[in-house]
Amino acid sequence: MKIITIVLGIIIFFCSCNHPVTESTENKSENADTSNTGITYSTGNLITNIPGRKTMSLDGTWQYIMDPYETGFYDYRYKELNENNPSAYWNADTTASKSDLIEFGYSNKYTLQVPGDWNHQDSKFLYYEGTVWYKKSFDFHPQKKGDKVFIYFGAVNYRADVYLNGKKLGMHVGGFTPFDFEISAGLLKEKNNDLVVKVDNKRHKDEVPTLNTDWWNYGGITRSVMLVEVPDIFIQDYFIHLENPAPGEAPSVENSPVTGWIKLNQKPDKEQTLTITLPELNIKKQIKTNAQLTQVDFTLPHVTLWSPAHPELYKVIISSNEDTTTDKIGFRTIQAYHKQVLLNGNPVFMRGISIHEEIPEVPRRAYSMKDAEQLLGEAKELDCNMVRLAHYPHDETMTRLADSLGILVWSEIPVYWTIDFKSKEVLRNAEAQLTDMITRDHNRASVIIWSVGNETPVSQVRTDFMHTLIDSAHALDNTRMASAALEVNYNADKKIHEINDPLGKYVDLVAFNEYLGWYGGLPDKCSTANWATPYNKPLFISETGAGAKYGFHADSLTRFSEEYQKWYYKEQIAMLKRMPDNFVGLSPWVLNDFRSPKRNNPTYQNGWNRKGLLDDKGHKKEAFYILQHYYKEMEALHPDK
Ligand code: GCB
């Protein structure tokens, strides 16, 4: 297994070396290295554990220019402007004489809050997709002279071109993953720095996601921005976890072996002493190393395993000669084993719900701990022990809070519906998003499933594409399950619907989106339907749901009535009770109504997907209580351990 991992790791490393998704004008360290054991690993190129670093926030009020024609980027012949051109919008500080013709400028008349999508901040942005330039001026006093400084973005949707004091720092594509650029010494001033970010959220056929999605394409600097200060040689990333137990076995709680690695930003020129301390467990492990990447192994004398019933997190302090970072990590194992999912060796039934990253009451993208508390609080009230964070990586506050609340997480990249599976470039883009998702969250005990996509149409080229992503997920992290939400074809003639998508061969958990009674006839279809898969693997329903407008009451045959949705859930639950013995849970669609420009029924939808169990004002629909009741029953049958 280890050999396979290493080989795949090398493959990914070579794939991602010339990756165009993040282009930095600075020299960043290589994103792989040979450790002191001679193993080549692949990890992303991100600084991780941002909450455990020295940072200066750049959140708050930014000035902006709305630029649908990209006048600030191209000249009138549509050629990219050169760096010093005073008409380029990144040259924010151009001082002009009174006769100069200047046709742009940043002003306090036009401001946006960061983090936050632009769509909800001014009515003129409600349906805007295009370019907006953001500018923030700031002073900077390093905490320590000689430190390196990076600029870190939690996420920008979709393409970000970043400039500091007129110099380009880099470009990044991908709307839901973090990225950082090093700022070279000398560029950052103590006073009056101008940071300009060109944000473009136009959709394109050959991007990830593609043109067509069932959610609103919120644009902007949607997550926090900060400066991160680190010493010259610093701890870039680490991955610390319990050793995988033998198939089907529980990890021991006495003397549990922990393994993983610590990655410095570069190969150090003098020997480093790496120290891992877990004060609550009296662990202090020291390793001397000359490598960029160092394997770590130690034993926990006695550990409370992380689980929904006991979401125990331990303080972990990692230091090198000059750097220290502190995290909170839970220790648990997760495995797909024959027909079951084993959490710490015990079969778990996942009482899940799918969630979009949206606060529907505004509506806007979610980004803060308060938002995470709202969304995960609603999931808890439904009696969930699991959430599917659809259809893209959510803000880090979600997985951090899930860690402390004991909620299992499915995390996904936006490989959604019909992206261009033939394109190598699109595959690289998807792989980079997968790598960054895994890199950011690989120390989160809550995350148990990396999903490589949703409802992708069956064809050989699609299966090859998705298989590559599954292999990459395994190579980057062999401690979790990899999966994808598969599509189902209702079989009108037979009473057994088979989930036989060829991708089922490669995933650890066979997950499918099942909507019998909403898309495949009326809910009473469920009374005779049965489900099966030819794969000897656990089976999970990643979606099922029906639309209802809160407060609209009619007989249960009337679409969009609360009665229809309630009937649908009742029929579904009766059907679930007949599921085969490899059925391990579900994450119905969806927690809240959410904005979707595809949903245009003028009476019930008006631009909203109405499959929420809560509506856009936070009201609970009747179906909420039906699912909650079922979950309480399931919890009594399969208590969280
Ligand atoms: C699906 C998609 C989800 C849609 C949902 C629907 O299968 O995965 O993104 O929003 O169906 O409401 O149709």
Side-chain angles (χ1 to χ4, degrees), residues 214-215 356 388 391 416-417 454-455 513 515 518-519 543 589 594 599 609 611:
D214 187 20
W215 69 80
H356 261 298
R388 175 179 178 214
H391 282 296
Y416 184 89
W417 289 353
N454 179 76
E455 286 187 353
N513 294 352
Y515 279 92
W518 182 256
Y519 291 126
E543 286 179 33
W589 195 252
F594 62 93
R599 307 293 175 172
N609 184 313
K611 296 191 188 71

Side-chain angles (χ1 to χ4, degrees), residues 526-544:
C526 297
S527 60
T528 51
N530 292 295
W531 298 89
T533 177
Y535 305 107
N536 182 27
K537 297 181 182 183
L539 188 62
F540 180 79
I541 298 182
S542 33
E543 286 179 33
T544 175

Side-chain angles (χ1 to χ4, degrees), residues 1 4-5 8-9 12 410-411 413 415 427 430-431 434-435 437-438 449-454 456 462-486 501-511 537:
M1 184 59 180
I4 296 172
T5 307
L8 289 169
I12 293 172
W410 162 305
S411 188
I413 50 168
V415 170
L427 178 59
E431 284 213 297
L434 180 71
T435 305
M437 170 174 80
I438 294 177
I449 299 160
W450 301 124
S451 164
V452 299
N454 179 76
T456 53
R462 179 298 311 232
T463 302
D464 293 347
F465 185 106
M466 300 299 276
H467 183 187
T468 306
L469 293 179
I470 295 276
D471 283 352
S472 302
H474 284 147
L476 288 164
D477 178 3
N478 68 353
T479 71
R480 291 177 170 87
M481 296 179 281
S483 191
L486 306 178
D501 183 321
L503 195 58
K505 203 168 147 194
Y506 307 111
V507 295
D508 300 309
L509 174 77
V510 176
K537 297 181 182 183

Side-chain angles (χ1 to χ4, degrees), residues 23 26 39 50 161 254 268 316 339 342 454 459 556 640:
E23 278 173 10
E26 300 295 324
I39 300 171
I50 294 299
D161 291 82
E254 305 296 333
V316 178
K339 296 181 168 186
L342 303 180
N454 179 76
S459 74
S556 51
D640 288 331

Side-chain angles (χ1 to χ4, degrees), residues 133-152:
W133 295 81
Y134 283 73
K135 189 196 131 188
K136 178 91 179 164
S137 298
F138 63 93
D139 299 341
F140 179 71
H141 303 285
Q143 296 187 31
K144 196 163 162 237
K145 267 221 147 40
D147 271 358
K148 283 190 152 96
V149 182
F150 286 79
I151 184 153
Y152 181 92

